[in-house]
Amino acid sequence: MEYWSIEGGRPLGGTAKIHGAKNAVLPIMAASLLVDRAVLYRCPVLTDVDAAARILRALGCTVTRCGETLTVLNTEGVCCETLPEEPAREMRSSILFLGALLARCGRARLSFPGGCELGPRPIDLHLMGLARLGAEIREDGGFLDCRVNGRLRGTQIALPFPSVGATENLLLAAATAEGETIVTNAAREPEVTALAEFLNTCGADIVCDGDRIRVRGVGELHGCAFAIPPDRIEAATYLCAAAATGGEIRVEGVCPAHLAAVLPFFEEMGCRLDVGEDTIELAAPRCLSGVGCVRTMPYPGFPTDAQAPLMAALCRSEGSTLFIETIFSARYRHVGELLRMGACISTDGRTALVRGVGRLHGAGVACTDLRGGAALVVAALAAEGETRLCETHHIERGYSDFVPLLSALGAEITILRQEEPHFV
Ligand code: EPZ
């Protein structure tokens, strides 16, 4: 069994170059089903991207990678409308192939998506929206069987909640639908905008105007080359790691505007920030201060994906911080592991109160999900002594080259193998 050994207590220092965003590349890979050729630059090396590539291959595409450039060729046309179960169950974004397949083939069959366990993650808004565009959706023994008679037809769709995935699925389905689609209370995340930009580069006619998106359906789309935008959550995680260790780092190739709701918290914690066009420099004090209250919200609010790493950084601080998780109902699974490291956190439903402590200590801990796993790495880097972290496959779903990059920033982190786990 693989695990990571982290010797904490060293301030991080140096430069971290940010990769393309996982949550942007996955919907764009689904969108590549709509064109004959897509060349994606800055495509991160992640197990979720591998899973999406496996799905595309099973559907008849040729997917090749050269470094951070991924090419999807779809010249033979999609040969299958059923998503392969195993990769589909591995990740939540497999649901996005539904909108793309319905638009491309008028038919799709898939099992319910997997992904991080953050509490119930229904897909009712996806299905409601696609049905409004004319899809007939039938549940058949754990599978969704969907089809369209003729083309999807544009219409007005008001989302009760600005779901990222549902908005993206509607863009994928409406881009080549007949007529105009208006989505209101749509998600505004930069990853949604990136998908609209990719589709527009392929000849679509989409206008994102705050939480209102207008899509004029076009007859067909053409191939393109597209650069995946930087991963704002990866950048936030490195900034949390530097803050937690009293370090000084520079993140490069980032879009600071995408972190407008996050950066003020670092200043409130006592860090000094220097923000450039595509760089952020952070210098942390020896001891961080609590920041009162962090409420996660849809974009442009504080991102739920940065909640766990920020919580880990604030475990060792003066004062307390209240977290209110408004997006997912069970996104504190990392708290139990942080308590093993000497943190002082009490949770009650969607709130968590972090009372800062003077020191954390190393322990045997297990990743519970992607961002929870990253949080344990942040805490381990700040802790005294060794932490042994297992179930690290969760982290590899969303952080490219995490261990070598942290080592380059001065962290003492090693990937080890052990026959039998006996430390958790
Ligand atoms: C995307 O998930 C991201 N994943 C998540 O990042 C992120 O946490 C989330 O958006 C919110 O920002 C990807 O982009 C691949 P939602 P998604 O649909 O699309 C409820 C990470 O760590 N809802 O906006 O699944 C849902 O249960 C991952 O990188 C419905 O009720 O998020 C949740 O409570 C984790 N019905 C809320 O909306 C629906 O049909 C937000 O979900 C859809 C969603």
Side-chain angles (χ1 to χ4, degrees):
M1 187 199 73
E2 182 183 288
Y3 68 93
W4 296 358
S5 163
I6 303 170
E7 199 56 55
R10 299 150 194 276
L12 294 190
T15 298
K17 202 159 173 4
I18 298 304
H19 298 89
K22 166 182 82 80
N23 293 347
V25 73
L26 296 175
I28 289 172
M29 287 177 77
S32 69
L33 271 180
L34 303 175
V35 296
D36 55 5
R37 186 169 185 277
V39 180
L40 307 180
Y41 301 121
R42 207 187 186 158
C43 180
V45 178
L46 301 169
T47 52
D48 272 12
V49 171
D50 299 343
R54 289 205 307 276
I55 292 175
L56 286 169
R57 289 191 186 102
L59 296 174
C61 303
T62 308
V63 183
T64 52
R65 182 189 270 279
C66 175
E68 290 200 340
T69 301
L70 190 96
T71 303
V72 181
L73 284 181
N74 187 5
T75 42
E76 305 309 313
V78 176
C79 64
C80 165
E81 294 125 10
T82 301
L83 256 63
E85 208 172 334
E86 187 249 325
R89 282 183 186 281
E90 258 176 50
M91 58 165 195
R92 170 88 183 166
S93 301
S94 57
I95 189 71
L96 297 175
F97 287 89
L98 174 56
L101 270 176
L102 279 173
R104 175 94 199 201
C105 320
R107 170 126 207 261
R109 188 174 162 79
L110 66 164
S111 64
F112 281 82
C116 292
E117 288 168 28
L118 309 173
R121 298 183 76 181
I123 54 171
D124 55 323
L125 302 180
H126 297 246
L127 303 184
M128 174 278 282
L130 292 170
R132 299 259 309 126
L133 291 170
E136 285 158 30
I137 298 167
R138 223 167 32 84
E139 210 186 303
D140 163 25
F143 278 82
L144 282 172
D145 204 314
C146 315
R147 60 186 68 221
V148 189
N149 291 326
R151 266 173 84 187
L152 293 161
R153 287 176 305 285
T155 183
Q156 309 247 347
I157 301 166
L159 289 175
F161 181 85
S163 153
V164 172
T167 304
E168 291 167 340
N169 237 333
L170 294 178
L171 291 187
L172 291 165
T176 54
E178 218 171 283
E180 182 173 277
T181 299
I182 305 281
V183 183
T184 49
N185 197 25
R188 295 190 254 173
E189 273 64 7
E191 297 77 25
V192 172
T193 317
L195 174 62
E197 279 162 13
F198 171 80
L199 290 167
N200 281 346
T201 314
C202 297
D205 179 356
I206 302 172
V207 175
C208 299
D209 176 13
D211 65 358
R212 184 179 182 279
I213 302 183
R214 194 261 306 135
V215 187
R216 280 213 187 94
V218 298
E220 65 171 0
L221 300 174
H222 54 73
C224 80
F226 189 82
I228 304 297
D231 195 320
R232 60 195 169 107
I233 307 299
E234 182 194 26
T237 306
Y238 281 109
L239 293 171
C240 287
T245 59
E248 236 180 271
I249 69 163
R250 174 188 166 91
V251 289
E252 272 183 4
V254 64
C255 176
H258 291 169
L259 290 164
V262 177
L263 297 181
F265 285 108
F266 288 111
E267 288 176 322
E268 222 179 311
M269 287 149 83
C271 300
R272 192 167 36 75
L273 288 182
D274 186 353
V275 178
E277 201 189 320
D278 67 348
T279 61
I280 300 169
E281 290 183 17
L282 177 145
R286 267 173 48 69
C287 183
L288 299 173
S289 313
V291 295
C293 179
V294 179
R295 179 190 298 273
T296 66
M297 293 289 282
Y299 192 87
F302 185 91
T304 172
D305 297 344
Q307 174 255 98
L310 187 69
M311 180 184 285
L314 283 161
C315 287
R316 198 170 64 105
S317 67
E318 262 162 20
S320 60
T321 304
L322 180 70
F323 283 82
I324 303 175
E325 175 55 61
T326 72
I327 308 293
F328 292 106
S329 58
R331 197 161 205 181
Y332 292 136
R333 298 172 64 219
H334 47 284
V335 168
E337 301 303 297
L338 290 171
L339 296 179
R340 289 169 179 269
M341 302 174 76
C344 178
I345 308 170
S346 47
T347 60
D348 178 8
R350 290 175 176 248
T351 65
L353 180 62
V354 178
R355 291 188 182 80
V357 296
R359 56 182 289 279
L360 294 174
H361 54 75
V365 291
C367 301
T368 49
D369 54 70
L370 166 59
R371 308 302 171 183
L376 297 180
V377 172
V378 169
L381 292 168
E384 290 162 18
E386 183 197 15
T387 292
R388 291 182 169 204
L389 181 63
C390 67
E391 307 297 335
T392 52
H393 60 270
H394 287 288
I395 299 178
E396 283 149 3
R397 293 188 42 223
Y399 292 91
S400 210
D401 290 337
F402 206 33
V403 171
L405 239 170
L406 285 170
S407 305
L409 294 171
E412 200 167 321
I413 177 167
T414 338
I415 301 180
L416 298 169
R417 281 195 167 280
Q418 180 156 308
E419 292 321 310
E420 285 309 314
H422 67 274
F423 54 76
V424 174

